Amino acid sequence: MSAPLSRARAIAYDANADESRYLLDPQRREQYARSFLAKSQQLYGIRGATLDTYDDGLSTSWRAYETDHHDLRFTGEFRRELDNITFPGERAAAERTVDTYAAYQRDDRKIRALLAAGKEREAVEFCMDWKPGTSNAHFGAWMAALDKVTDINRAHITSSVRDGRSAVSDLLPWTGGLLLAAMALTALGLRPRLAEFR
């Protein structure tokens, strides 16, 4: 698994926990909101974004990236992965991951809006439920998409290691034979010199 993918998974779970804590711990809501935004920026960084502007920034920068893969309007773990596409199918899977991430981010704003409107129960249900269309369901889709990118990387790395071992195994008898031949030729070459010292 690549380092950006490993970090992205860890950050994602931390961010999701911050979102839940935001709902369940009213005294520390601002702290958890800041933490959620900081982790979002680690995943998909948008300069100067706040929770209120993040979705628009994500949408605008992502459209720009889809037009030009060298567009550098965002940073973070997703950017690192997208700049290091190596295997067939990896780019499409990585792009799908960002699409599912965007859906999860929009859910976060819905949760905060429901809470601001005094609909705490609806906010908690939307956040914690796993029914289709809820925040946890979208989080699960995002993690599944991330797993797909990881699986592509892992499959190709495993295949490369297997091919490398096979190549080494095939060369081992030849290498051993050449080493023995070199030793024998060295001994033959040294015999006349050693005879001079008798």
Side-chain angles (χ1 to χ4, degrees), residues 5 65 81-82 84-97 144-156:
L5 297 175
Y65 170 81
E81 169 60 23
L82 288 161
N84 190 33
I85 299 298
T86 309
F87 308 115
E90 186 178 3
R91 181 175 302 282
E95 290 175 354
R96 174 73 182 135
T97 301
L146 189 59
D147 286 344
K148 177 71 173 166
V149 185
T150 301
D151 290 346
I152 289 169
N153 277 268
R154 185 179 292 124
H156 283 282

Coordinates of all heavy atoms in Angstrom, one line a residue, residues 5 65 81-82 84-97 144-156:
L5 N -2.0 6.5 0.5 CA -3.2 5.8 0.8 C -3.3 5.4 2.2 O -4.4 5.4 2.8 CB -3.2 4.5 -0.1 CG -3.3 4.8 -1.6 CD1 -3.2 3.5 -2.4 CD2 -4.5 5.6 -2.0
Y65 N -9.0 20.1 -12.2 CA -8.1 18.9 -12.3 C -8.5 17.9 -13.4 O -7.7 17.4 -14.2 CB -8.0 18.2 -11.0 CG -7.3 16.8 -11.1 CD1 -5.9 16.8 -11.1 CD2 -8.0 15.7 -11.3 CE1 -5.2 15.6 -11.3 CE2 -7.3 14.4 -11.4 CZ -5.9 14.4 -11.4 OH -5.3 13.2 -11.6
E81 N -1.3 11.0 -4.3 CA -1.7 9.7 -5.0 C -1.9 10.0 -6.5 O -1.4 9.3 -7.3 CB -2.9 9.1 -4.3 CG -3.5 8.0 -5.1 CD -2.6 6.8 -5.3 OE1 -1.6 6.6 -4.6 OE2 -2.9 6.0 -6.3
L82 N -2.6 11.1 -6.8 CA -2.9 11.4 -8.2 C -1.7 11.8 -9.0 O -1.6 11.6 -10.2 CB -4.0 12.5 -8.3 CG -5.4 12.0 -7.9 CD1 -6.2 13.2 -7.5 CD2 -6.0 11.2 -8.9
N84 N 1.1 10.3 -8.5 CA 2.0 9.1 -8.5 C 1.3 7.9 -9.1 O 1.4 6.8 -8.6 CB 2.5 8.8 -7.1 CG 3.6 7.8 -7.1 OD1 4.4 7.7 -8.0 ND2 3.6 7.0 -6.1
I85 N 0.5 8.2 -10.2 CA -0.3 7.1 -10.8 C 0.7 6.2 -11.6 O 1.5 6.7 -12.4 CB -1.3 7.6 -11.8 CG1 -2.3 8.5 -11.0 CG2 -2.0 6.5 -12.6 CD1 -3.1 7.7 -10.0
T86 N 0.7 4.9 -11.3 CA 1.7 4.0 -11.8 C 1.0 2.8 -12.6 O 1.6 2.4 -13.6 CB 2.5 3.4 -10.7 OG1 3.0 4.4 -9.9 CG2 3.7 2.5 -11.2
F87 N -0.1 2.3 -12.1 CA -0.7 1.1 -12.7 C -1.9 1.3 -13.5 O -2.7 2.3 -13.2 CB -0.9 0.1 -11.5 CG 0.3 -0.1 -10.6 CD1 0.3 0.3 -9.3 CD2 1.4 -0.7 -11.1 CE1 1.4 0.1 -8.5 CE2 2.6 -0.9 -10.3 CZ 2.5 -0.5 -9.0
P88 N -2.2 0.4 -14.4 CA -3.5 0.5 -15.2 C -4.7 0.5 -14.2 O -4.7 -0.3 -13.3 CB -3.5 -0.7 -16.1 CG -2.0 -1.1 -16.2 CD -1.4 -0.7 -14.8
G89 N -5.6 1.4 -14.4 CA -6.8 1.4 -13.6 C -6.7 2.2 -12.4 O -7.7 2.6 -11.7
E90 N -5.5 2.6 -12.0 CA -5.3 3.3 -10.7 C -5.8 4.7 -10.8 O -6.4 5.2 -9.8 CB -3.8 3.4 -10.4 CG -3.4 4.0 -9.1 CD -2.0 4.0 -8.7 OE1 -1.1 3.6 -9.6 OE2 -1.6 4.4 -7.6
R91 N -5.7 5.5 -11.9 CA -6.2 6.8 -11.9 C -7.7 6.9 -11.8 O -8.2 7.7 -11.0 CB -5.8 7.5 -13.2 CG -6.3 9.0 -13.3 CD -5.8 9.8 -14.5 NE -4.4 9.8 -14.6 CZ -3.6 10.6 -13.9 NH1 -4.1 11.4 -13.0 NH2 -2.3 10.6 -14.1
A92 N -8.4 6.0 -12.5 CA -9.9 6.0 -12.5 C -10.3 5.7 -11.0 O -11.3 6.3 -10.5 CB -10.4 5.0 -13.4
A93 N -9.6 4.7 -10.4 CA -10.0 4.4 -9.0 C -9.7 5.5 -8.1 O -10.5 5.8 -7.2 CB -9.3 3.1 -8.6
A94 N -8.6 6.2 -8.2 CA -8.2 7.3 -7.4 C -9.2 8.5 -7.6 O -9.6 9.1 -6.6 CB -6.8 7.8 -7.6
E95 N -9.6 8.7 -8.8 CA -10.6 9.8 -9.1 C -11.9 9.4 -8.5 O -12.6 10.3 -7.9 CB -10.7 10.0 -10.6 CG -9.4 10.7 -11.1 CD -9.4 10.8 -12.6 OE1 -10.3 10.3 -13.3 OE2 -8.5 11.5 -13.1
R96 N -12.3 8.2 -8.5 CA -13.6 7.7 -7.9 C -13.5 8.0 -6.4 O -14.5 8.3 -5.7 CB -13.8 6.2 -8.2 CG -15.0 5.6 -7.5 CD -16.3 6.1 -8.1 NE -17.4 5.5 -7.4 CZ -18.5 6.2 -7.0 NH1 -18.6 7.5 -7.3 NH2 -19.4 5.6 -6.3
T97 N -12.3 7.8 -5.8 CA -12.2 8.0 -4.4 C -12.4 9.5 -4.0 O -13.1 9.8 -3.0 CB -10.8 7.6 -3.9 OG1 -10.5 6.2 -4.2 CG2 -10.5 7.8 -2.4
A144 N -14.5 2.2 0.6 CA -14.5 1.1 -0.4 C -13.8 1.5 -1.6 O -13.0 0.8 -2.2 CB -15.9 0.7 -0.8
A145 N -14.0 2.8 -2.0 CA -13.2 3.3 -3.2 C -11.7 3.4 -2.9 O -10.9 3.1 -3.7 CB -13.8 4.7 -3.5
L146 N -11.4 3.8 -1.7 CA -10.0 3.9 -1.3 C -9.4 2.5 -1.3 O -8.2 2.3 -1.7 CB -9.9 4.5 0.1 CG -8.5 4.9 0.6 CD1 -7.8 5.9 -0.3 CD2 -8.6 5.5 2.0
D147 N -10.1 1.5 -0.8 CA -9.7 0.1 -0.8 C -9.4 -0.4 -2.2 O -8.4 -1.1 -2.5 CB -10.7 -0.8 -0.2 CG -10.8 -0.7 1.3 OD1 -9.8 -0.1 1.9 OD2 -11.8 -1.2 1.9
K148 N -10.2 0.1 -3.2 CA -10.0 -0.3 -4.6 C -8.6 0.2 -5.1 O -7.9 -0.6 -5.8 CB -11.1 0.2 -5.4 CG -11.0 0.0 -6.9 CD -11.3 -1.5 -7.2 CE -11.3 -1.7 -8.7 NZ -11.2 -3.1 -9.1
V149 N -8.3 1.4 -4.8 CA -7.0 2.0 -5.2 C -5.9 1.2 -4.5 O -4.9 0.8 -5.1 CB -6.8 3.4 -4.8 CG1 -5.5 4.0 -5.4 CG2 -8.0 4.2 -5.4
T150 N -6.0 0.9 -3.2 CA -5.1 0.1 -2.5 C -4.9 -1.3 -3.1 O -3.8 -1.8 -3.2 CB -5.5 0.0 -1.0 OG1 -5.6 1.3 -0.5 CG2 -4.5 -0.8 -0.2
D151 N -6.0 -1.9 -3.4 CA -6.0 -3.3 -4.0 C -5.2 -3.3 -5.3 O -4.5 -4.2 -5.6 CB -7.4 -3.8 -4.2 CG -8.1 -4.1 -2.9 OD1 -7.4 -4.2 -1.9 OD2 -9.3 -4.3 -2.9
I152 N -5.4 -2.2 -6.2 CA -4.7 -2.1 -7.4 C -3.2 -2.1 -7.2 O -2.4 -2.8 -7.8 CB -5.2 -0.9 -8.3 CG1 -6.6 -1.2 -8.8 CG2 -4.2 -0.6 -9.4 CD1 -7.3 0.0 -9.4
N153 N -2.8 -1.2 -6.3 CA -1.4 -1.1 -5.9 C -0.8 -2.4 -5.4 O 0.2 -2.8 -5.8 CB -1.2 0.1 -4.9 CG -1.1 1.4 -5.5 OD1 -0.1 1.9 -5.8 ND2 -2.3 2.0 -5.7
R154 N -1.5 -3.0 -4.4 CA -1.1 -4.2 -3.8 C -0.9 -5.3 -4.8 O 0.1 -6.1 -4.8 CB -2.0 -4.6 -2.7 CG -1.5 -5.8 -1.9 CD -2.5 -6.2 -0.7 NE -2.5 -5.2 0.3 CZ -3.5 -4.5 0.7 NH1 -4.7 -4.8 0.2 NH2 -3.5 -3.6 1.7
A155 N -1.9 -5.5 -5.7 CA -1.9 -6.5 -6.7 C -0.7 -6.4 -7.6 O 0.0 -7.4 -7.9 CB -3.2 -6.6 -7.5
H156 N -0.4 -5.2 -8.0 CA 0.8 -5.0 -8.9 C 2.1 -5.2 -8.2 O 3.0 -5.7 -8.8 CB 0.7 -3.6 -9.6 CG -0.3 -3.6 -10.7 ND1 -0.1 -4.1 -12.0 CD2 -1.6 -3.1 -10.8 CE1 -1.1 -4.0 -12.7 NE2 -2.1 -3.4 -12.0

